[in-house]
Amino acid sequence: MDNNEVKKLQEERISLYDDFYNNKLPKRLPVDAMRMSLNMLAEYSGKNIFNVQFDYSQLAEAHEKVTNELYSDVSPLAGAGVATRIPSFYQILGSQSFVMGGSGLMQHPEVVGMLEEDYDALIEDPYACLLERVIPRQYKALDSNNTASTSKVIPMAQAALRDNAAAIGAIVQKATEEKGYYPGPPRGSAGFGAAPYDFLADQLRSFSGISKDIRRNRNKVKEACEALYPLMLKYAMPAKPSPQGIVSTPLHMPTFMREKDVVDVWLPTYKKMVEQLAAAGARVNAFCEHDWMRYLDLLTELPAGTILRFEYGDPQTIKDKLGKKYIISGLYPINLIKTGTKQQVIDKAKEILDIMMPGGGYLFGFDKGALVYKDINMENYIALAEFVRDYAVYENAGESFGTPLNSEGFKLEPAPVKSKYIFDWEEFKGKYPYTPEFAKANFQGYDDEMFRFYLNLLV
Amino acid sequence: MVDLKALTTSVGELDEEKVLEVLNEFVASNPSEEDAQKVVAACQSGMSIVGDLYEKGEYFVGDLIFAGELLTNAINTLKPVLGSGSAAKSGTIVLGTVAGDLHDIGKNIFKSMCEAAGFEVIDLGIDQPASAFVEKVKEVKPVAVGMSGVLTLALEAMKDTVDALKEAGLRDSVKIIIGGNPVTKEACAQIGADAFTTNAAEGVKICQGWV
């Protein structure tokens, strides 16, 4: 392809996404799900899985090969984010939350960062509790009794993250330019977040810990979710929201809980968070992990335009119940790519698309992402991508569908994080009276950066 | 003496406060060891109600975790009156998360439910190589080996472990059960395990069938 053709192709792809996220039926569904993780690329090209994770540039060639074989409207390799779990970063900080197993995969063992007796401190000043108690327990190099070590490793970790993310970014960018892939949503519009209860469960109290607390200290758990809400909202809020930008929130705990606990304790702060993001014009992707069929009614309480990605469940029931108000995604069993014949793989896609496509509002996607190359059969993967491209076409492109983001008209209700560790301009100005007023925004920006750094450690 | 039926019900309802209140009163009454064993059995019966309610979809994984915690608390409360001769065990199970996988929540739930059912469980921990299973099986001659894993790559490690047990001449002396998100009937056959489950309560029943 010459440059003009690439440019034209890219523009077509951009309009597929722009249309879809602005409630206009696109010419066809974007082929968005055919991702290759870093580990998959390493195995696919026969590279050593340990080596590549300390020098991602080794994957450039493999990615180029994949982009020639596998159809996709977006780079198969995604840019680096929190979920990339770059080993150097976690190792420099002595993480016990994210560690590499003998298989070369970064994993998250069950670890406890917050003790039962820390609830009052968390409720009083959650950010301080995270910095003073939780993070030093989960990140051994951030020992609060050894500030010399701490102040040394933080810039090291930041540098490692920057360099590794840049190496991944360079591969993605090159492919995007050469293949005319969708370059992604506007800069600063995407994000990542967690439901306050899930955040409390995950690295703070642990799955086992929260399962005890919800029965023994229900009120404290509730108060902790309320206390964490401003932090979770600030963390998830993109700098420049747009309907195309996605704030991903993998939802961990509800399917392991009793419904009354989900309704009373899990849902309220998450719901408020998603509503506030909608009010700001940011679209949340709620990944309903595991089987949410018993919670479909509950999901209808979330704002219109939210993406609901499902792992298990009945596509028709989901479509009937949620298809008008939300964007549905997921449901295609990734396992079939490995175990099925080419025909079975395609038949399954047809079955799901036939249910989901009429009336719009479905984005083709897998129930879960493949983790290692052995999780898929590459021939089937390639065949599926081409089938979705050719089959998921709209005759009535341009017609409007679904319910736009923030149709309810939620209003922004600021919920600033209050903590002794949040930058205080008045105090600073008192100490340095000659500082001009415009410098306030700069200092707050630096402070936000550190807020993000610390929260990144715990999501 | 304690109302054993009511105690079983309270454990089944996961009513921790009530269970501990009853047990504390019981311990304070200076009971015989024999009575104490009856109380333990009543608690264990309560746990099998928990397992049934889980299978029926009335309890969820969080409840199983809490149930394990509740039972540990109950047994600790009873310890002073249990004496040294503890109850006869149903048998020993060697349990671990296989090589390359660091997940242990499922394994831990299975462990506490097996213990509640009267098994002695030897937990090897996470990311355990085949050799660790082989050594422990040699040493303790268990009724069963439980292998757990969440990642798809755990299936391969499970197969390696079964192969290693075969090579060591130990395969025929134990039953093998695999558990976790990726296990299926097909995987079970390919790995050469005797049983598979993604449901801890069901797994306990399978092991009970082997004693």
Side-chain angles (χ1 to χ4, degrees):
Chain A
M1 279 190 294
D2 67 26
N3 264 352
N4 279 341
E5 283 173 320
V6 170
K7 201 85 207 131
K8 204 173 146 234
L9 182 57
Q10 190 172 48
E11 273 160 23
E12 274 174 30
R13 283 169 166 158
I14 291 173
S15 60
L16 295 180
Y17 282 88
D18 284 359
D19 285 353
F20 184 80
Y21 286 120
N22 287 286
N23 298 84
K24 221 162 96 179
L25 289 179
K27 281 194 190 126
R28 59 178 177 82
L29 288 187
V31 179
D32 184 78
M34 314 310 294
R35 302 294 184 144
M36 293 285 285
S37 70
L38 293 154
N39 287 313
M40 289 166 78
L41 279 177
E43 289 168 290
Y44 165 75
S45 57
K47 297 268 184 201
N48 178 297
I49 195 159
F50 299 96
N51 291 349
V52 300
Q53 291 185 89
F54 295 86
D55 174 14
Y56 292 109
S57 69
Q58 293 185 21
L59 294 174
E61 222 173 287
H63 191 245
E64 192 171 345
K65 189 161 174 266
V66 161
T67 60
N68 287 327
E69 293 173 359
L70 176 70
Y71 186 81
S72 177
D73 288 315
V74 64
S75 163
L77 178 63
V82 178
T84 312
R85 306 295 176 207
I86 290 169
S88 322
F89 178 75
Y90 292 102
Q91 291 171 354
I92 288 167
L93 297 174
S95 176
Q96 64 167 21
S97 318
F98 299 101
V99 292
M100 190 182 276
S103 50
L105 282 180
M106 291 295 284
Q107 295 172 54
H108 172 36
E110 159 109 324
V111 281
V112 178
M114 176 190 153
L115 309 178
E116 209 174 330
E117 68 238 34
D118 293 330
Y119 266 104
D120 289 336
L122 184 87
I123 292 161
E124 169 78 25
D125 184 339
Y127 190 42
C129 179
L130 300 182
L131 264 52
E132 292 173 352
R133 304 186 189 204
V134 178
I135 290 174
R137 284 190 195 117
Q138 299 290 31
Y139 290 84
K140 299 303 180 196
L142 298 180
D143 178 356
S144 36
N145 294 318
N146 189 345
T147 47
S149 146
T150 304
S151 52
K152 189 191 86 124
V153 295
I154 289 178
M156 259 180 90
Q158 286 172 316
L161 189 62
R162 183 194 61 218
D163 287 354
N164 283 292
I168 296 167
I171 298 174
V172 174
Q173 198 187 340
K174 183 166 178 278
T176 303
E177 279 166 17
E178 287 178 4
K179 297 284 173 188
Y181 286 136
Y182 173 58
R187 219 182 170 73
S189 66
F192 194 77
Y197 187 99
D198 288 347
F199 180 83
L200 178 66
D202 190 22
Q203 286 201 58
L204 272 53
R205 290 294 294 133
S206 84
F207 194 121
S208 309
I210 197 89
S211 301
K212 295 169 202 164
D213 298 347
I214 190 66
R215 282 178 179 269
R216 285 183 188 151
N217 295 312
R218 190 188 178 80
N219 286 336
K220 294 266 182 215
V221 174
K222 233 172 162 169
E223 285 176 59
C225 289
E226 291 289 344
L228 285 167
Y229 163 75
L231 281 79
M232 295 297 102
L233 180 63
K234 181 180 169 73
Y235 180 70
M237 185 66 78
K240 291 177 185 154
S242 110
Q244 289 93 319
I246 308 296
V247 179
S248 301
T249 62
L251 306 180
H252 293 312
M253 295 302 296
T255 63
F256 303 116
M257 297 165 67
R258 291 177 294 181
E259 196 165 332
K260 68 170 187 180
D261 293 338
V262 173
V263 172
D264 273 8
V265 188
W266 184 90
L267 184 66
T269 46
Y270 179 67
K271 183 174 171 228
K272 198 158 66 168
M273 186 177 132
V274 183
E275 286 172 359
Q276 283 298 296
L277 286 159
R283 190 191 304 277
V284 166
N285 181 338
F287 182 12
C288 302
E289 294 178 353
H290 200 225
D291 186 348
W292 280 63
M293 290 304 277
R294 68 184 164 110
Y295 289 130
L296 295 188
D297 286 327
L298 210 70
L299 286 171
T300 62
E301 292 188 30
L302 295 178
T306 302
I307 301 173
L308 303 175
R309 177 180 172 189
F310 289 93
E311 190 171 352
Y312 307 115
D314 175 47
Q316 188 68 59
T317 313
I318 290 171
K319 171 83 176 171
D320 293 345
K321 219 159 197 163
L322 304 167
K324 286 236 165 4
K325 188 174 174 188
Y326 302 99
I327 293 173
I328 309 296
S329 173
L331 291 167
Y332 188 100
I334 186 87
N335 189 37
L336 189 62
I337 306 288
K338 172 80 183 171
T339 59
T341 63
K342 202 181 276 186
Q343 196 55 49
Q344 285 171 326
V345 166
I346 286 170
D347 288 347
K348 188 77 192 172
K350 186 173 180 300
E351 177 194 319
I352 293 177
L353 288 169
D354 285 345
I355 294 170
M356 288 297 184
M357 278 189 65
Y362 176 67
L363 188 64
F364 183 83
F366 294 108
D367 56 347
K368 47 185 156 277
L371 205 54
V372 293
Y373 187 59
K374 279 187 184 157
D375 286 344
I376 60 158
N377 168 327
M378 195 63 177
E379 269 179 49
N380 286 347
Y381 211 46
I382 289 168
L384 176 64
E386 289 170 7
F387 175 76
V388 173
R389 177 196 61 198
D390 299 337
Y391 186 78
V393 172
Y394 280 107
E395 306 265 317
N396 50 343
E399 283 181 16
S400 65
F401 74 88
T403 317
L405 188 62
N406 203 24
S407 294
E408 298 92 337
F410 294 109
K411 297 270 178 295
L412 277 176
E413 293 164 25
V417 174
K418 291 189 187 118
S419 167
K420 61 177 171 178
Y421 289 115
I422 289 289
F423 178 76
D424 183 336
W425 169 247
E426 293 310 320
E427 191 192 317
F428 190 87
K429 182 89 177 163
K431 208 167 167 191
Y432 305 102
Y434 307 120
T435 319
E437 200 63 25
F438 68 76
K440 177 182 173 185
N442 296 344
F443 287 112
Q444 283 174 340
Y446 306 142
D447 197 47
D448 284 350
E449 218 171 286
M450 283 319 287
F451 175 83
R452 194 153 283 281
F453 172 84
Y454 285 120
L455 268 288
N456 275 344
L457 299 178
L458 297 175
V459 294
Chain B
M1 183 58 186
V2 171
D3 179 346
L4 294 173
K5 256 193 188 151
L7 177 62
T8 298
T9 307
S10 298
V11 172
E13 285 169 357
L14 297 175
D15 188 341
E16 186 177 41
E17 239 169 84
K18 203 183 228 170
V19 170
L20 294 183
E21 188 191 307
V22 169
L23 295 185
N24 279 321
E25 258 174 47
F26 172 70
V27 170
S29 72
N30 203 11
S32 70
E33 208 179 308
E34 198 191 334
D35 279 351
Q37 288 301 347
K38 281 183 193 155
V39 170
V40 170
C43 291
Q44 288 174 335
S45 306
M47 285 295 278
S48 73
I49 296 177
V50 172
D52 290 343
L53 289 174
Y54 174 74
E55 285 191 64
K56 277 192 208 151
E58 284 177 42
Y59 277 162
F60 302 95
V61 170
D63 303 305
L64 295 186
I65 292 174
F66 183 73
E69 172 78 6
L70 170 60
L71 192 78
T72 309
N73 259 352
I75 303 293
N76 283 342
T77 308
L78 291 168
K79 247 183 200 150
V81 295
L82 277 175
S84 51
S86 59
K89 294 282 180 190
S90 313
T92 305
I93 296 174
V94 169
L95 180 66
T97 302
V98 293
D101 200 317
L102 309 182
H103 294 87
D104 62 357
I105 294 170
K107 169 180 72 65
N108 294 345
I109 293 171
F110 180 68
K111 179 187 172 186
S112 67
M113 296 192 72
C114 283
E115 284 174 343
F119 285 99
E120 184 175 356
V121 180
I122 296 174
D123 184 359
L124 298 172
I126 54 174
D127 201 1
Q128 288 298 310
S131 59
F133 284 90
V134 170
E135 288 311 311
K136 203 39 100 181
V137 169
K138 247 186 223 166
E139 185 192 324
V140 304
K141 302 186 174 56
V143 175
V145 171
M147 293 190 283
S148 173
V150 166
L151 305 174
T152 45
L153 56 84
L155 298 177
E156 212 167 310
M158 288 174 180
K159 183 162 187 353
D160 291 346
T161 309
V162 174
D163 290 348
L165 286 166
K166 267 185 204 157
E167 235 168 79
L170 298 165
R171 175 65 187 92
D172 297 333
S173 66
V174 289
K175 293 287 191 182
I176 297 178
I177 181 165
I178 56 173
N181 192 43
V183 307
T184 58
K185 192 174 160 205
E186 293 76 24
C188 179
Q190 207 218 347
I191 287 163
D194 296 298
F196 76 99
T197 185
T198 53
N199 174 333
E202 184 191 67
V204 175
K205 282 188 188 157
I206 293 170
C207 291
Q208 283 171 326
W210 287 337
V211 178

